[in-house]
Amino acid sequence: MQELRIGVLGFGVVGRGVVELLLTQGELLRQRTGVVLRLVRIATRTPARDRGLPLGEVELTDDLQRVVSADDIDVVVELIGGLEPARSLLMTALQSGKHVVTANKALLALYGHELFPLAAARQRELLFEAAVAGAIPIIKVLRESLAANRIDQLYGILNGTCNYILTEMREQGSPFAEVLRDAQAKGFAEADPSFDVDGIDAAHKLAILAAISFGSYPDFQQIHIEGIRHVSDIDIQWATEMGYRIKLLGIAKQDEGRVELRVQPTMVPVGSMVASVEGVYNAVFVRGHAAGTTMYHGRGAGERPTASSVVADLIDLARSSRAGCGGRVAPFSMLPEALQQFPLRQTDDWRGEYYLRLAVADRPGVLAEVTQVLARQQISIDAIHQKGRSAVAAVPLIMVTHATSERQIRLALAEMEQLDAVQETPRFIRIEPNVV
Ligand code: HSE
């Protein structure tokens, strides 16, 4: 029977999951592909560590080159993450004629424009289902199942750590720092959480999804990124009171030939499906012009969920190599010659509804001063709330606007910050009232 000889780089959590699936599901994989998926070698910096798996004939090495440059490997599975040495290793692998399967979203978002052309030039596959939203098969959906659609909009919860923190903040009524500490103690957040909580990880994933949706190479630099550090427990309480949930969303929109790409805390109606995605779960919503909106939900990280997607890519490779039809699906759905840079809409020109939170002195006339600023900027108010009394401390003043441009909101907030009565930098959160 035909073989696909596999070399794995990295034997951490996901590496262990991939190795376990390959070693325990061999018969199923043979029945589904007609190919033996043979794990030949694993390269890891810590080969001596016991992972509790009977490796049999599989070779363990700490020499990463013995995977990327070896003659007895057909496909390199890269699970070490980060930019270097992953980037150089994958260039070597592709240059030496190997296919690549990777879960490395950062690498693809920043260096996809180098790696994919190299793969195409060598007529090798570079597959990446596991790079976005773990077990959710969103890459295959966008590239294949929805290929008849013009994608107008895609949004999703792309980072489980942030979704877990926001869920816990709401359920416990606790501030961000306390929930983050607790999440770190439970192993749900990294010791250095910045990639997750500052929105960078979600932006890497959004760059890849937008590239497939709109037809370009991923371009991380185009994304407006805000994380969740500034979301306060007060915002979460007010969101609940007004019928919203706050979610960190990755949003890609296309209309009138312009694209908006952002990762941001967003208020969504409490009855929407996106609001119901809780804890560590991820979800992606895609609006195609023909299909309408479809939703994909599941685990976005973890040993087996991520391994499931890595091995699915290996199965695709095995099937196409048996059928002799490699390169059937272009990495970003469109053929490389059809890819183009999409024109962006500038932040100032974004339009939407906004939640504004001010900390103001509690005395007569303050509301009038604040609303005059909004009137000067032609911003119409949908709702206004102020609760509590204090002769000494600031009290929160909450406002929700009708649709307006972000330029007007920024000008208004800058003006408000200058008022004597306004005692902290005003905060805003964008509202997406029409999500599914
Ligand atoms: N750290 C990510 C998350 C998973 O919290 O969803 C890997 O991208």
Side-chain angles (χ1 to χ4, degrees), residues 172-191:
Q172 297 173 13
S174 305
F176 170 80
E178 190 179 317
V179 174
L180 173 61
R181 266 197 307 278
D182 187 48
Q184 285 170 317
K186 289 180 177 153
F188 292 150
E190 305 275 347

Side-chain angles (χ1 to χ4, degrees), residues 105 158-162 188 190 196 201 205 282 300-301:
K105 62 227 69 171
L158 300 173
N159 185 272
T161 306
C162 287
F188 292 150
E190 305 275 347
D196 290 317
D201 173 78
K205 295 166 186 167
N282 283 196

